[in-house]
């Protein structure tokens, strides 16, 4: 109900997003990852942002990521939602998603060299990915096999309902004309 009051429609997207986060807490679950596609202006980012606001503080990590950024992130721990909004998946990042979702319950290990010394970097277990893209994500077929594909509504009825909601929210705003 809270999500519906903020983002009209797209319940078929909200539910998988909420379940995706809940899956991080279920022992015998292999993770639920979600892709959100749709035309420009259909509310893809907004629906993900809306759902992320009802999750516990610190549950969601957002931003733009270079290929190895998640391994070096100090605020990344297990059972987090990683939102990738309008970011193309480079081959290296696709491999990270594939490997971290294949063995979801164990940290994903990356061996590298830092200052001429071997270093083992860990990606925490039980991370879920929300991938948002204006067109179909495309890219690596194995990554696409690991996500639930959802599409934002783009009907005249949906746009009318969104405008009605915006108008109703605008009516609730108190304007101070004394300034």
């Amino acid at each position: 109900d809270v999500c519906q009051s903020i983002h009209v429609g797209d319940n078929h997207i909200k539910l998988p997003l909420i379940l995706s986060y809940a899956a991080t807490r279920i022992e015998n679950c292999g993770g639920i990852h979600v892709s959100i596609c749709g035309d420009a202006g259909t509310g893809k980012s907004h629906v993900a942002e809306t759902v992320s606001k009802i999750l516990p503080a610190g549950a969601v990590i957002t931003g733009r990521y270079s290929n190895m950024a998640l391994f070096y992130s100090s605020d990344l721990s297990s059972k987090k939602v990683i939102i990738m909004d309008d970011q193309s998946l480079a081959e290296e990042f696709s491999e990270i998603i594939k490997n971290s979702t294949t063995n979801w319950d164990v940290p994903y290990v990356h061996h590298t060299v830092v200052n001429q010394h071997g270093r083992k970097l860990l990606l925490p277990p039980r991370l879920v990915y929300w991938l948002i893209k204006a067109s179909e994500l495309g890219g690596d077929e194995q990554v696409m096999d690991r996500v639930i594909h959802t599409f934002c509504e783009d009907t005249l009825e949906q746009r009318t309902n969104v405008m009605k909601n915006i108008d109703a929210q605008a009516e609730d705003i108190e304007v101070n004309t004394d300034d």
Side-chain angles (χ1 to χ4, degrees), residues 33-38 44 84-90 94 97 129-141 143-151:
H33 315 280
V34 182
S35 78
I36 306 170
C37 298
K44 299 173 298 298
M84 299 182 69
D85 194 351
D86 203 25
Q87 181 175 342
S88 296
L89 297 178
S94 292
I97 291 174
Y129 299 91
W130 296 355
L131 309 173
I132 305 167
K133 197 78 167 146
S135 59
E136 287 215 41
L137 285 171
D140 192 295
E141 190 175 313
V143 171
M144 295 305 103
D145 287 345
R146 288 168 165 79
V147 299
I148 295 173
H149 298 274
T150 62
F151 297 87

Side-chain angles (χ1 to χ4, degrees), residues 8 18 21 59 76 85 122 165:
V8 175
I18 292 167
Y21 174 72
L76 188 59
D85 194 351
L122 299 176
N165 188 49

Side-chain angles (χ1 to χ4, degrees), residues 100-120:
S100 69
T101 58
T102 297
N103 293 310
W104 196 59
D105 284 318
V106 297
Y108 175 52
V109 180
H110 175 74
H111 298 277
T112 190
V113 176
V114 177
N115 296 327
Q116 299 180 345
H117 292 90
R119 185 164 176 203
K120 182 167 70 171

Side-chain angles (χ1 to χ4, degrees), residues 33-172:
H33 315 280
V34 182
S35 78
I36 306 170
C37 298
D39 293 334
T42 55
K44 299 173 298 298
S45 300
H46 191 258
V47 70
E49 177 186 329
T50 299
V51 172
S52 73
K53 287 180 180 178
I54 67 164
L55 301 181
V60 177
I61 308 289
T62 62
R64 188 151 191 87
Y65 309 97
S66 63
N67 290 339
M68 299 303 291
L70 295 177
F71 286 101
Y72 292 95
S73 179
S74 61
D75 61 346
L76 188 59
S77 58
S78 67
K79 302 178 182 179
K80 299 277 187 177
V81 173
I82 299 170
I83 299 178
M84 299 182 69
D85 194 351
D86 203 25
Q87 181 175 342
S88 296
L89 297 178
E91 185 177 335
E92 190 172 19
F93 207 103
S94 292
E95 288 176 15
I96 291 167
I97 291 174
K98 285 186 289 191
N99 289 315
S100 69
T101 58
T102 297
N103 293 310
W104 196 59
D105 284 318
V106 297
Y108 175 52
V109 180
H110 175 74
H111 298 277
T112 190
V113 176
V114 177
N115 296 327
Q116 299 180 345
H117 292 90
R119 185 164 176 203
K120 182 167 70 171
L121 302 173
L122 299 176
L123 197 59
R126 296 187 157 261
L127 300 174
V128 292
Y129 299 91
W130 296 355
L131 309 173
I132 305 167
K133 197 78 167 146
S135 59
E136 287 215 41
L137 285 171
D140 192 295
E141 190 175 313
Q142 290 181 16
V143 171
M144 295 305 103
D145 287 345
R146 288 168 165 79
V147 299
I148 295 173
H149 298 274
T150 62
F151 297 87
C152 276
E153 295 177 45
D154 190 19
T155 63
L156 179 58
E157 179 183 4
Q158 171 66 5
R159 289 185 182 266
T160 300
N161 290 337
V162 167
M163 292 310 297
K164 286 179 184 176
N165 188 49
I166 291 170
D167 289 345
Q169 289 177 6
E171 288 175 9
D172 289 342

